[in-house]
Amino acid sequence: MSKIRVLSDQLANQIAAGEVVERPASVAKELVENSIDAGARRIEVDVEAGGRRLLRISDDGEGMTRDDAVLAFERHATSKISTVDDLSSIGTLGFRGEALASIASVARVELVTALEGEAEGTRVSIEGGRMRDVKPVARPRGTTITVRDLFFNVPARRKFLRSEATESFHLASLVTHYALAHPEIAFVLTNNGRESLRAAVAANLRERAYQIFGAEFLDNLLEVGGGNAAVARVSGYVSAPRERRTSRDAQYLFVNGRSVRDRLVSRALAEGYRTVLPHGVYPAALLFLDVPLEEVDVNVHPAKTEVRFRRAAAVADAVREAVRAALAAGGYVRVADDGGEREVEPQSLNEFATIDAAGNEALSGEAGWQRAKSEAQLPQQEPIEFGFTPPTDEELLLSSEEFAARAASLPDPTRSASNAVARSAGAGSVEGELDHKLNDVIGAPVATDVLSPRRGEQERGAELSNATDLSGANSSPAPQAGSAPHLPPLNSIAGAMHEVPVESVASNIRPLYQLEESYIIAIDAEGMLLIDQHAAHERILFDKYRKLEQTRHAESQQLLMPETFDLTPAQAAAFDAVAGELETYGFSLMRLSGRTVAIKAVPADLPASEARNMLAEVLETVDAERRGAARETMRERVAASLACHAAIKVNMPLAIEKMRWLIDRLLNTSSPTTCPHGRPAILRLTTRDIERGFHRP
Ligand code: ADP
Ligand code: MG
């Protein structure tokens, strides 16, 4: 007897359903896509019990005839393509003809549909893939599909469904995506009878984004418009660099109106932000790519969430350049003469208000808040003990001769003090800061210090990477001829830099200086250490917050004016689940009407300016899988996120006392060598390795 059997249609559909129907949101995705393909002007999504009990999608699209309504549930039944040639230019969202068949094989489905002007429509009932009933009914033009008891006949899949809150979150996020992609369609999402999103027909993306995210979010957005019709037109919005997320959840990416998760596009987006956002921090984005249909393959994944570009590199370039141009137009990057760009956004210092000059920690209550605010006005922290002013952006753009000439003309290091005063005087605004920087360059010459490594090192760094291309992916522009002393390729001992085992960290670490205003260079008995200042402070704060959970004595700072925060529909679904946790750490939050939350107080360490970003991040990342996860895990995530936002950032000058303070505190934490996300906080280069690098025996 033959061992091989052809599977029944029903089984084949259930297997296909495994790929197409992962969770309620993926059912909703297929149905909403069908409604859009049917030319709907209005789509209503109704959800009960996170979509397990009920999912109903109604549209006013073109509808189906009786025959089509029955045929639609057949596997590989589609009205959208007919020949293999059609596959190379797909203009509809659907084309595989397997969604309805798959969904109907794992749920109880009812379809009611009618064409324009027909006296009667059709109702089709189908359960677990078996057609139950086909009847005429009355309804206006359009289609309503009701999906009940998802996975009722596939217990194994049912087990993988997450909590109701998690599934609701995914559903809300899905509807949000499609609503953004189609401002011309009205959307309503109702969850357990409560309306969680309502968006009337909008004139454009901006209006739609306003309906969904509120005015505030919009204020922080920069408009993107670029690329070219042959490769990809890029449009939409990206966030100003002050909006910082530690996940990509606030990135909405679309290719030809299709919501996609695309590595290439998100990487190109990140590249656009290089120099204005530190590594590991992500912008928010609503990015739309219009790519010629034959240039993109959408038939890569059964759920159609991935695409493949024929000219991937060109698409990435278009995205990166469009984002870069938007940042430049917003004044966040400037194109320099050599074609290179520099960041111009001043680093706000209020993050650091939590460690004062003497290294004492934390401000709390009203006084602290006031002080945090006044310190935040200072555009640039002056390292007290070095007696020099860090070079400004303009100086960094000078050639080394100019730089040297200027340094030589100014041997008097005391000038830096008066310069510091001049700087803080008129400061407080971006313009103020820029004015001063310009003055520094044009008018009053700047004190420099031979100790200052920045200029020389950057130059040499560029030289080095040009000469040896250590990274293999170096793109820094070649320095102008003769602008720096030529150095032959240097040997690298990069491989000798190692993460540090906890046992080997002793208390005799001495900080020397800062590299790139981001890494503390220190020494101990065994050699040289590099300490990531952000990771170190994150670890310190994380440990502190974890202790708070037991003592429940969070210090908070009342905001003078409560800040309001508009939740996205997805965030609103997450809010109720995490609000309690957030209060443990010192937040005081109040849910106002609709999707608005008022922030009345924030944890003492958290700069008020970061509160909004942190909240957005927690709501987005503590979502989903994680809310299904143990409470303990969730607490940890909230604490890690809070620590990350409250911690000092990279590109922050630190006085030596602050470095010492940071190291002392770090050594007293539960895990001094890693940040709460598990990345290393300390790297070591042993004296032995240095000796080896110099070929000393
Ligand atoms: P696909 O979308 O890949 O064609 P589906 O299984 O999702 O496959 O749908 C099968 C067919 O049913 C579609 O091609 C379309 O003709 C029809 N259809 C599905 N949903 C709707 C709808 N909401 N309005 C009109 N026609 C629909
Ligand atoms: Mg479809």
Side-chain angles (χ1 to χ4, degrees):
M1 197 182 112
S2 170
K3 284 191 288 189
I4 300 177
R5 266 184 298 266
V6 174
L7 300 178
S8 72
D9 272 358
Q10 195 188 350
L11 193 51
N13 283 335
Q14 284 195 2
I15 291 170
E19 296 176 315
V20 181
V21 185
E22 188 195 337
R23 60 184 348 150
S26 36
V27 174
K29 172 178 187 292
E30 295 295 337
L31 300 181
V32 168
E33 286 187 349
N34 282 345
S35 297
I36 294 170
D37 283 344
R41 301 285 296 165
R42 179 182 178 81
I43 299 176
E44 289 185 30
V45 180
D46 233 311
V47 179
E48 281 175 24
R52 303 157 179 241
R53 186 159 66 227
L54 175 107
L55 250 177
R56 177 183 293 130
I57 281 86
S58 297
D59 66 54
D60 60 355
E62 63 184 358
M64 284 176 264
T65 63
R66 183 184 191 281
D67 289 350
D68 280 349
V70 174
L71 205 56
F73 288 98
E74 291 293 325
R75 190 131 173 259
H76 307 308
T78 179
S79 57
K80 300 170 192 175
I81 58 173
S82 53
T83 70
V84 67
D85 289 345
D86 294 342
L87 259 189
S88 59
S89 61
I90 293 170
T92 49
L93 294 168
F95 58 87
R96 297 172 61 102
E98 58 186 358
L100 287 184
S102 301
I103 295 165
S105 73
V106 294
R108 300 183 224 275
V109 175
E110 183 193 81
L111 168 118
V112 180
T113 187
L115 299 175
E116 176 88 63
E118 292 282 309
E120 59 184 25
T122 310
R123 194 185 79 179
V124 178
S125 306
I126 181 162
E127 259 188 45
R130 291 205 176 77
M131 192 71 74
R132 294 285 179 214
D133 195 26
V134 183
K135 262 203 200 129
V137 289
R139 76 150 278 159
R141 165 195 151 120
T143 304
T144 299
I145 300 191
T146 310
V147 178
R148 287 178 214 276
D149 307 326
L150 185 62
F151 298 135
F152 79 97
N153 54 349
V154 203
R157 308 281 317 194
R158 212 164 50 225
K159 272 209 305 256
F160 281 99
L161 288 179
R162 299 299 177 136
S163 67
E164 178 175 340
T166 298
E167 299 301 344
S168 298
F169 172 89
H170 284 287
L171 282 159
S173 164
L174 175 104
V175 177
T176 303
H177 272 88
Y178 281 95
L180 286 168
H182 294 278
E184 77 285 1
I185 302 176
F187 280 87
V188 182
L189 168 65
T190 313
N191 195 341
N192 290 332
R194 204 162 88 177
E195 203 172 85
S196 56
L197 180 149
R198 170 178 289 273
V201 171
N204 49 40
L205 173 63
R206 193 176 175 81
E207 196 178 318
R208 179 51 56 87
Y210 172 80
Q211 293 169 328
I212 295 177
F213 299 114
E216 233 151 26
F217 181 74
L218 220 54
D219 285 347
N220 277 326
L221 292 183
L222 309 169
E223 188 159 0
V224 179
N228 62 73
V231 175
R233 280 209 177 288
V234 185
S235 61
Y237 295 93
V238 293
S239 55
R242 61 182 165 273
E243 182 101 9
R244 291 151 177 249
R245 310 285 174 98
T246 52
S247 82
R248 292 198 175 86
D249 291 348
Q251 296 182 356
Y252 298 84
L253 309 179
F254 304 86
V255 174
N256 296 344
R258 187 186 300 280
S259 158
V260 294
R261 275 173 284 178
D262 190 86
R263 278 274 230 16
L264 179 91
V265 179
S266 55
R267 202 176 311 136
L269 171 65
E271 278 169 19
Y273 278 82
R274 89 185 136 42
T275 74
V276 292
L277 279 186
H279 189 69
V281 174
Y282 306 97
L286 311 175
L287 267 195
F288 291 81
L289 271 63
D290 279 307
V291 181
L293 295 180
E294 61 284 358
E295 289 285 311
V296 56
D297 185 359
V298 292
N299 190 20
V300 180
H301 188 268
K304 299 165 290 173
T305 48
E306 288 164 25
V307 294
R308 200 178 291 138
F309 297 104
R310 207 165 68 82
R311 284 187 276 180
V315 171
D317 288 348
V319 172
R320 190 185 55 243
E321 276 153 30
V323 169
R324 210 67 192 159
L327 287 167
Y332 295 97
V333 294
R334 193 167 0 139
V335 179
D337 296 342
D338 62 357
E341 295 153 334
R342 290 210 54 82
E343 172 188 2
V344 296
E345 191 189 35
Q347 279 287 330
S348 143
L349 276 218
N350 53 359
E351 292 94 336
F352 207 62
T354 51
I355 307 176
D356 65 23
N360 295 323
E361 191 190 359
L363 302 162
S364 59
E366 191 64 17
W369 165 232
Q370 289 300 351
R371 191 147 109 244
K373 273 180 58 160
S374 63
E375 283 184 18
Q377 314 271 303
L378 289 175
Q380 185 97 53
Q381 176 138 342
E382 300 299 334
I384 323 156
E385 75 281 46
F386 282 107
F388 79 95
T389 307
T392 62
D393 286 347
E394 281 74 10
E395 288 158 33
L396 292 173
L397 294 171
L398 297 176
S399 79
S400 61
E401 282 106 301
E402 283 175 288
F403 191 83
R406 195 159 290 172
S409 73
L410 275 167
D412 179 6
T414 55
R415 288 196 70 113
S416 62
S418 59
N419 198 37
V421 174
R423 278 159 160 273
S424 42
S429 68
V430 180
E431 291 85 336
E433 157 107 0
L434 287 179
D435 281 355
H436 278 286
K437 287 189 170 176
L438 283 178
N439 279 339
D440 286 346
V441 174
I442 302 160
V446 195
T448 52
D449 188 305
V450 280
L451 274 179
S452 166
R454 272 195 73 164
R455 171 63 188 170
E457 232 161 57
Q458 290 215 340
E459 198 105 276
R460 230 169 295 140
E463 187 88 353
L464 177 65
S465 47
N466 274 322
T468 60
D469 199 5
L470 290 173
S471 66
N474 154 58
S475 62
S476 39
Q480 277 159 13
S483 67
H486 187 75
L487 280 180
L490 300 180
N491 287 334
S492 164
I493 48 170
M497 201 92 203
H498 289 299
E499 292 183 30
V500 181
V502 182
E503 326 65 88
S504 82
V505 180
S507 56
N508 57 354
I509 300 179
R510 274 183 40 214
L512 300 179
Y513 205 65
Q514 251 179 317
L515 181 66
E516 294 283 315
E517 296 179 343
S518 304
Y519 307 99
I520 299 170
I521 305 171
I523 50 172
D524 70 356
E526 288 183 50
M528 200 186 97
L529 298 163
L530 280 180
I531 299 164
D532 179 323
Q533 65 193 42
H534 174 72
H537 197 206
E538 241 184 323
R539 164 56 64 191
I540 295 166
L541 291 173
F542 178 76
D543 274 33
K544 176 177 154 180
Y545 296 137
R546 292 312 313 265
K547 283 199 199 102
L548 270 183
E549 283 159 23
Q550 285 117 46
T551 59
R552 306 227 146 219
H553 278 307
E555 292 171 5
S556 31
Q557 36 172 337
Q558 295 291 325
L559 301 188
L560 297 179
M561 289 275 287
E563 287 208 40
T564 56
F565 182 85
D566 296 321
L567 302 175
T568 66
Q571 289 172 340
F575 181 81
D576 299 329
V578 293
E581 295 303 323
L582 290 169
E583 307 219 323
T584 314
Y585 295 108
F587 273 100
S588 168
L589 302 165
M590 207 165 78
R591 182 104 183 231
L592 304 176
S593 63
R595 287 190 268 114
T596 305
V597 166
I599 310 173
K600 295 196 298 183
V602 300
D605 305 294
L606 187 71
S609 60
E610 281 288 322
R612 185 181 301 282
N613 287 342
M614 190 233 146
L615 200 60
E617 176 183 306
V618 166
L619 291 176
E620 276 158 15
T621 58
V622 177
D623 74 43
E625 312 321 324
R626 299 156 210 169
R627 265 188 294 135
R631 191 148 210 91
E632 181 62 13
T633 323
M634 185 169 97
R635 287 216 167 119
E636 226 161 73
R637 303 244 179 217
V638 177
S641 172
L642 182 53
C644 179
H645 284 272
I648 52 165
K649 303 283 186 282
V650 295
N651 297 319
M652 161 84 63
L654 297 185
I656 202 90
E657 290 93 30
K658 290 179 184 174
M659 298 186 211
R660 252 182 237 128
W661 177 91
L662 209 59
I663 293 170
D664 283 351
R665 296 294 306 264
L666 178 65
L667 295 179
N668 285 317
T669 59
S670 60
S671 173
T673 56
T674 55
C675 84
H677 303 99
R679 290 190 287 268
I682 310 183
L683 295 177
R684 161 170 284 143
L685 187 59
T686 62
T687 314
R688 183 69 206 109
D689 282 327
I690 295 174
E691 285 165 355
R692 255 186 228 127
F694 286 117
H695 300 298
R696 285 184 179 276

